[in-house]
Amino acid sequence: MSNFHRILLAAAGVAAAIAVAWAGDAPAPSYKGIVPAATLKVWRDLGTGNGALARYKPATPPGHYGIGTAPTEQQISGWTIAVPPDGANLPPGSGTVAAGEKLFSTDCAMCHGGFGEGAHGYPALAGGVGSLAGSEPQKTVGSYWPYATTLWDYINRAMPFYAPHTLKPDQVYALTAYILNLNGIVKGKFVADAQSVPRVKMPNRDSFNWKDPRPVTHNTACMKDCVPAGSVRITSSAAKMGLTPRTTGPVDNMKGSSK
């Protein structure tokens, strides 16, 4: 053991002895003039429970950690940004096709192409109308998306990719107007706002089946008189109900068709 470590151990022993002494178990020795006054105060506080260690007390009441605060209305509003199909929660503001074109060229074209055709592996936003029934369906805003409000919502919460949720409402409206115009859904003079966007009729809107074809089942737990395992029968499947996609590539073909 080095001299340094011996000194540390000795100092710890002295501190412990003085702490016990000041706690009332033994007469306090006098180190005045030997130990600095500040050190003596720390030792005294340790012995009487007035030091920093005494401030760390168990949480009260039991089970309550005493951390965190109730969120403010402003903090909550920063997260409640979802816009449903009917356009509820769309904020004030507006944007034109021309303004959206400028924004698109600076913030979006690097990934989605100058005309929404897709670039560098990022998805296309325009085109593909009539391709969904073919062997290579293109699910773009114009060919697949059922609601224009969904376009506004997605741009607002996730775009641009490198800085999501940084666009102002007017900018989101402008980009929405431009992308809709790229797909031939609205004309060049279209102004997107909280009233006009929900009224846009998307080309593929009527092709969605919003009624869930799956049966309603109830998984009732039981410990006795349960249904015999042998009586359970599979009466349908997702494939038979048309809920699974068709083959998408050579790997699927190797495993057999899912039709």
Side-chain angles (χ1 to χ4, degrees):
M1 181 182 295
S2 66
N3 290 333
F4 175 74
H5 288 94
R6 290 190 181 94
I7 293 172
L8 288 179
L9 288 174
V14 171
I18 293 176
V20 171
W22 261 306
D25 295 332
S30 176
Y31 289 92
K32 194 172 182 179
I34 301 174
V35 179
T39 304
L40 287 174
K41 183 179 184 306
V42 172
W43 288 353
R44 184 181 297 107
D45 288 343
L46 286 172
T48 58
N50 295 325
L53 293 178
R55 292 197 295 269
Y56 293 93
K57 299 178 180 180
T60 54
H64 178 71
Y65 294 99
I67 59 175
T69 58
T72 64
E73 290 296 329
Q74 184 178 6
Q75 290 171 327
I76 294 175
S77 65
W79 289 95
T80 54
I81 60 175
V83 175
D86 63 0
N89 208 30
L90 279 172
S94 63
T96 64
V97 173
E101 182 178 13
K102 294 179 181 179
L103 278 170
F104 192 91
S105 63
T106 57
D107 292 7
C108 313
M110 64 185 76
C111 295
H112 296 291
F115 298 96
E117 73 276 11
H120 310 296
Y122 289 92
L125 302 179
V129 176
S131 68
L132 298 182
S135 59
E136 297 182 1
Q138 299 178 40
K139 294 183 178 181
T140 71
V141 172
S143 69
Y144 181 74
W145 292 36
Y147 297 110
T149 49
T150 305
L151 175 61
W152 195 100
D153 178 272
Y154 190 78
I155 295 172
N156 181 56
R157 70 172 61 247
M159 294 289 113
F161 178 74
Y162 53 85
H165 201 40
T166 58
L167 296 171
K168 303 298 183 183
D170 286 349
Q171 294 175 310
V172 180
Y173 279 120
L175 287 171
T176 300
Y178 179 66
I179 294 172
L180 292 175
N181 178 257
L182 276 179
N183 284 276
I185 299 173
V186 299
K187 297 182 178 180
K189 294 183 178 180
F190 176 77
V191 177
D193 56 30
Q195 289 72 43
S196 64
V197 172
R199 290 199 299 263
V200 173
K201 180 68 180 291
M202 301 295 280
N204 196 45
R205 181 167 177 173
D206 294 334
S207 298
F208 278 79
N209 179 13
W210 300 109
K211 183 179 180 180
D212 193 340
R214 294 171 295 182
V216 177
T217 60
H218 300 282
N219 183 21
T220 304
C222 66
M223 297 299 293
K224 61 180 181 179
D225 299 329
C226 300
V227 177
S231 66
V232 177
R233 296 288 185 271
I234 298 176
T235 59
S236 185
S237 67
K240 291 180 179 179
M241 299 176 72
L243 299 176
T244 57
R246 296 172 300 167
T247 54
T248 57
V251 176
D252 292 323
N253 292 332
M254 289 167 58
K255 295 180 180 179
S257 175
S258 62
K259 293 181 180 179

